[in-house]
Amino acid sequence: MTACGAEDDSSDGSGSEGGSSSEESSDASGGDFPEGDGVFTVGSLLPQTGDLAFLGPPEFQGVDLAIEDINAAGGVLGQDVVGIKADSGDGTPDIAGAEVDNLLAEDVDTIIGAAASGVSVSVIDKITGAGVVQFSPANTAAGFDTYDDGGLYFRTAPSDVLQGEILANLVVEDGASNVAIMGRQDFYGEGLAERVQEVVEEKGASVADFVLYAADAQNFTAEVNQIAATEPDALVLVAFNETTKIIPQLISKGIGPQDIPIYFVDGNLADYSAENFDLTGVKGTAPGAAEPDPDFEDRLRENPDVDDLTYGAESYDAVVISALAAIAAGNDSGEAIASEIVNVTREGTECTEFEECAQLLEDGEDIDYNGKSGPTDMTDSGSLVSGTYGINEYDGNTYERIDTVSGVVPETS
């Protein structure tokens, strides 16, 4: 996947301004942008189906709670926020494009999602080409930092340049010296696996084998046999729900969780209580606040479908940041919102709640929003300056955080 996508010809009928009026106005941000319709409308392009469906409930709930809090505080530009839900799937089959068409037809200003980097990159040209903000709570692929998105793509999850570094450091610090790496061959998996390889080797350990597999493969026998033949002393598995198929095959070849240390990433750090294998001792990384807000976590769990909290806070923050940007711009069009998103996350008066931040903006102050997921300071490319990861360990088939590591995201070129 190259770092620059094909240009969108806006032939989907949504128009180049994402459904906003073609009339331009000079707004509070000082730029000339299409005039919004006065109602800040948020589309959620998140996984209701597919291999990442376990991430859907906390993400949708995060969006819903943000809209609830914003509207309770008076809304955006004097109007209640409107939310519209859509299913991103996981790319197999590809349903995200049609779902995006439906959201654009509803005149959304910001689309929260997708969760999977591979799904987001498949629709980014359609969304940003329509003048709509794409704001992912969960995309971690490093390639987004250099993608030609017209300044309309943002994310509240840190880049895998940092996750790969933190995970590789953990593996080597745990004593591994001959590490096998197995990952999905897609926009997410390949980049993260390569970063792990890079840092493992920088730390002086060897990479026993580096194997990428087709994301839609029905079995992984050849890849597992290849890895087993190298006799690794640790394995990093960059995967989604296909983990449920891979683990039994690893066990059958003597390189399962009870044989060698195995490490997961955010894409497969999930509750596997329904499975009959034992993951005790497996470790994994996932973004998360250094000091999670227990009250907010309780609110996420008010949705009975929420088991895992991953990316719930990041989803909440993506909506709040977008709303604050609309207030700062005095305009709810996608392009106006995009022009202020980075500004409301850094170099101003610190604030942590929408109502507080919105009042500061109304008073003419610059703000620095720190959210439920932690500091949200962004680079000019719309990615986080720094990130925090939980180090998690399984006891049986459920996990808990055992440590927290924060760091600055290394620059990419």
Side-chain angles (χ1 to χ4, degrees):
M1 180 65 65
T2 61
C4 181
E7 293 184 4
D8 192 292
D9 63 6
S10 298
S11 60
D12 59 11
S14 62
S16 61
E17 316 302 351
S20 299
S21 167
S22 61
E23 179 184 352
E24 293 190 351
S25 65
S26 181
D27 56 31
S29 64
D32 290 330
F33 301 105
E35 183 63 47
D37 61 8
V39 177
F40 177 47
T41 304
V42 177
S44 299
L45 183 69
L46 297 167
Q48 295 172 329
T49 60
D51 283 347
L52 288 184
F54 74 95
L55 293 177
E59 291 173 339
F60 279 112
Q61 179 73 345
V63 171
D64 288 346
L65 291 177
I67 293 174
E68 177 183 317
D69 289 349
I70 293 167
N71 289 343
V76 172
L77 304 177
Q79 299 291 327
D80 278 354
V81 178
V82 174
I84 302 171
K85 293 180 171 67
D87 182 14
S88 66
D90 64 2
T92 53
D94 179 11
I95 63 172
E99 294 285 280
V100 167
D101 288 339
N102 293 335
L103 291 175
L104 294 177
E106 296 287 345
D107 291 346
V108 295
D109 305 303
T110 295
I111 290 178
I112 306 300
S117 294
V119 174
S120 280
V121 81
S122 74
V123 294
I124 188 171
D125 293 335
K126 183 189 291 283
I127 295 171
T128 61
V132 172
V133 169
Q134 181 176 5
F135 205 146
S136 175
N139 288 167
T140 57
F144 288 110
D145 286 329
T146 52
Y147 197 95
D148 184 10
D149 55 45
L152 288 160
Y153 174 87
F154 305 87
R155 53 179 166 176
T156 44
S159 167
D160 277 333
V161 176
L162 179 58
Q163 179 170 205
E165 178 180 305
I166 289 173
L167 181 57
N169 286 339
L170 174 66
V171 173
V172 176
E173 289 169 2
D174 282 350
S177 61
N178 191 40
V179 184
I181 301 170
M182 181 177 180
R184 295 168 60 93
Q185 190 165 26
D186 62 11
F187 192 62
Y188 161 77
E190 191 167 350
L192 179 50
E194 288 176 350
R195 178 60 175 164
V196 172
Q197 178 184 27
E198 177 184 17
V199 179
V200 163
E201 291 175 339
E202 286 176 357
K203 296 296 180 180
S206 298
V207 174
D209 206 351
F210 182 93
V211 177
L212 298 176
Y213 60 84
D216 58 353
Q218 295 303 305
N219 70 76
F220 307 90
T221 304
E223 292 85 354
V224 169
N225 287 344
Q226 180 178 330
I227 289 173
T230 66
E231 300 183 352
D233 60 9
L235 170 66
V236 174
L237 181 59
V238 182
F240 286 170
N241 194 54
E242 65 272 11
T243 298
T244 59
K245 299 178 181 178
I246 294 172
I247 291 295
Q249 291 188 288
L250 293 173
I251 292 171
S252 70
K253 287 297 179 180
I255 52 172
Q258 310 312 311
D259 303 302
I260 62 172
I262 293 179
Y263 298 84
F264 288 176
V265 292
D266 60 310
N268 58 343
L269 191 73
D271 184 331
Y272 294 99
S273 297
E275 304 299 326
N276 58 14
F277 47 68
D278 183 2
L279 294 177
T280 297
V282 171
K283 294 180 180 179
T285 50
E291 298 181 4
D293 180 343
D295 291 336
F296 178 72
E297 292 189 340
D298 287 344
R299 292 182 69 198
L300 286 174
R301 291 191 178 96
E302 288 174 1
N303 180 337
D305 294 329
V306 172
D307 294 318
D308 189 294
L309 303 181
T310 305
Y311 296 123
E314 288 80 2
S315 300
Y316 181 98
D317 288 342
V319 177
V320 170
I321 291 169
S322 299
L324 293 171
I327 294 171
N331 183 346
D332 64 276
S333 75
E335 292 176 25
I337 291 169
S339 73
E340 290 291 339
I341 283 179
V342 172
N343 294 337
V344 301
T345 69
R346 68 185 192 189
E347 299 173 357
T349 301
E350 289 191 9
C351 54
T352 58
E353 302 294 336
F354 171 80
E355 186 171 16
E356 172 195 11
C357 297
Q359 186 59 58
L360 289 171
L361 289 173
E362 295 289 350
D363 293 342
E365 290 197 43
D366 186 19
I367 65 169
D368 177 358
Y369 172 71
N370 289 330
K372 303 301 182 185
S373 62
T376 59
D377 302 55
M378 289 187 180
T379 65
D380 290 341
S381 66
S383 291
L384 294 184
V385 171
S386 60
T388 298
Y389 282 83
I391 307 299
N392 305 274
E393 185 170 3
Y394 280 87
D395 180 5
N397 287 350
T398 61
Y399 65 89
E400 64 179 19
R401 185 186 293 200
I402 60 171
D403 197 6
T404 301
V405 180
S406 298
V408 175
V409 178
E411 293 185 6
T412 57
S413 57

